[in-house]
Amino acid sequence: MKSFYLSLILVVGMFLGACSQNDDVMQPKTSENYQASELVQRLQNFNDSLLSNRPESRLSWADIGRICFVAAHDAYGAYKLGKIGAQVGSFVGPEGTIVGAAVGGVIGGVGASYGAYSGTRSGYNFPSPQTVVAAYVTVLEDSLVYSNYYPSKFSLVLPSGKSTLQDIGAAHNLVLSNLMDNVLSNTPANNVLTSLEYSILFSHDYISEYYEILNDLESNGFSAGLSSNDPIDDQVFNLYLNALTSYPTQVSDIELISNQYVNLVDQSDELTTNEKDIIYRGICVAVSSYEFWEPILYPDQKQ
């Protein structure tokens, strides 16, 4: 295990060092496309205020900003595949929408994360959804209590009754750890997953979208081509990722941004409950992912 993490630190460090040579990768996006709604405008104004007050000295950016950049890809995969899972599950009713968003987000977030990691070694090569499911089945077989794996550095203030949405962040980290350590269950997935979870994750629609979305993430990044013609929830989440990858110079900045997005989304009447929950889950993955990557990328960092 120790040798694995040492090698991971080296290869990810090389990859992130290469990213730092291209300042455009971490620059904030322009605001010209974000005019679709009151919520989007409020969030854009929040982002602009952050950037206008950003400290000139950003000595910690090389560490924190790079971890945020990785975490943003995890969150993007969880958000986009959570939406796909919800769409697939919706054919069996409201329960299917909720279940699909949860399990679809876990598998998508881990796939995106591991794909980015593999790109630091021999080229972007994300795992099949079946492989990620095998790592997820291992977590389920261990009967872990997700609340024991909630973030310790962050206090995420979710709306009343939504605290268990943090389960997706805990599951993301546990599944990702299994995948990296090649701890994959040999138990047939349909023996452990519920029939609903299995039908969603192994559906043609989910699997095809998994490959399409992660291929697009590799080619274009998480903010390519977004405009006011896109759904409001997509614009909202893209703005969150822009803030996450543009502003933080300390861990408390990540908490500030995440909680403000949760608060403004909660206040809005422009999104459905399911759309809000998928956004919250994506934010939960982002903060949990930061805690996953920080000790791997910068084990001696003091904050």
Side-chain angles (χ1 to χ4, degrees):
M1 172 71 75
K2 184 176 181 181
S3 61
F4 167 78
Y5 282 126
L6 288 175
S7 62
L8 178 58
I9 292 168
L10 291 175
V11 296
V12 173
M14 291 172 62
F15 167 69
L16 294 173
C19 287
S20 67
Q21 296 174 10
N22 181 0
D23 291 338
D24 290 338
V25 172
M26 295 188 181
Q27 289 303 308
K29 310 301 184 294
T30 62
S31 61
E32 61 185 358
N33 289 332
Y34 300 102
Q35 308 295 329
S37 72
E38 179 183 354
L39 173 60
V40 168
Q41 195 61 59
R42 292 182 71 186
L43 293 170
Q44 182 63 62
N45 291 340
F46 172 67
N47 283 15
D48 290 344
S49 70
L50 288 176
L51 296 175
S52 65
N53 295 305
R54 183 173 58 188
E56 291 185 11
S57 176
R58 310 188 71 208
L59 297 179
S60 60
W61 172 255
D63 292 348
I64 293 179
R66 289 174 177 176
I67 302 172
C68 286
F69 185 72
V70 174
H73 284 74
D74 297 38
Y76 178 88
Y79 170 76
K80 294 292 287 187
L81 270 303
K83 285 189 68 173
I84 297 302
Q87 291 169 10
V88 174
S90 68
F91 289 107
V92 299
E95 179 187 0
T97 300
I98 295 170
V99 170
V103 296
V106 171
I107 303 308
V110 172
S113 184
Y114 190 86
Y117 153 70
S118 68
T120 68
R121 300 193 298 175
S122 58
Y124 196 91
N125 181 29
F126 51 80
S128 70
Q130 294 88 346
T131 300
V132 182
V133 168
Y136 179 46
V137 167
T138 298
V139 172
L140 297 178
E141 290 178 318
D142 289 341
S143 300
L144 301 174
V145 178
Y146 286 143
S147 61
N148 292 337
Y149 299 89
Y150 286 179
S152 60
K153 283 180 178 273
F154 305 97
S155 178
L156 200 57
V157 183
L158 294 170
S160 177
K162 301 292 185 179
S163 62
T164 57
L165 293 180
Q166 293 181 91
D167 285 2
I168 191 174
H172 170 272
N173 287 4
L174 292 165
V175 176
L176 183 56
S177 180
N178 282 346
L179 189 62
M180 288 185 162
D181 292 339
N182 199 35
V183 180
L184 308 177
S185 176
N186 291 319
T187 306
N190 59 349
N191 287 358
V192 179
L193 299 176
T194 67
S195 58
L196 179 55
E197 290 171 332
Y198 185 87
S199 66
I200 292 168
L201 294 178
F202 286 86
S203 68
H204 171 76
D205 287 344
Y206 183 84
I207 291 174
S208 63
E209 288 290 341
Y210 174 94
Y211 286 113
E212 182 174 342
I213 287 170
L214 296 194
N215 275 319
D216 186 61
L217 178 60
E218 175 198 6
S219 301
N220 301 312
F222 52 73
S223 59
L226 198 72
S227 75
S228 58
N229 294 323
D230 290 281
I232 292 174
D233 54 344
D234 285 356
Q235 295 184 58
V236 166
F237 202 73
N238 183 255
L239 284 168
Y240 171 72
L241 297 179
N242 287 343
L244 185 66
T245 55
S246 301
Y247 177 75
T249 59
Q250 53 189 353
V251 171
S252 60
D253 293 335
I254 301 167
E255 181 175 292
L256 168 69
I257 292 167
S258 299
N259 281 328
Q260 182 66 353
Y261 267 76
V262 168
N263 181 51
L264 291 176
V265 168
D266 182 39
Q267 293 177 18
S268 175
D269 59 3
E270 297 181 62
L271 299 171
T272 68
T273 297
N274 287 328
E275 288 171 338
K276 289 181 178 183
D277 285 353
I278 292 173
I279 291 172
Y280 300 148
R281 287 191 182 95
I283 292 173
C284 289
V285 167
V287 297
S288 287
S289 175
Y290 185 97
E291 290 203 355
F292 180 89
W293 286 111
E294 184 190 55
I296 295 174
L297 299 178
Y298 299 99
D300 299 322
Q301 181 165 282
K302 305 295 183 183
Q303 296 180 30

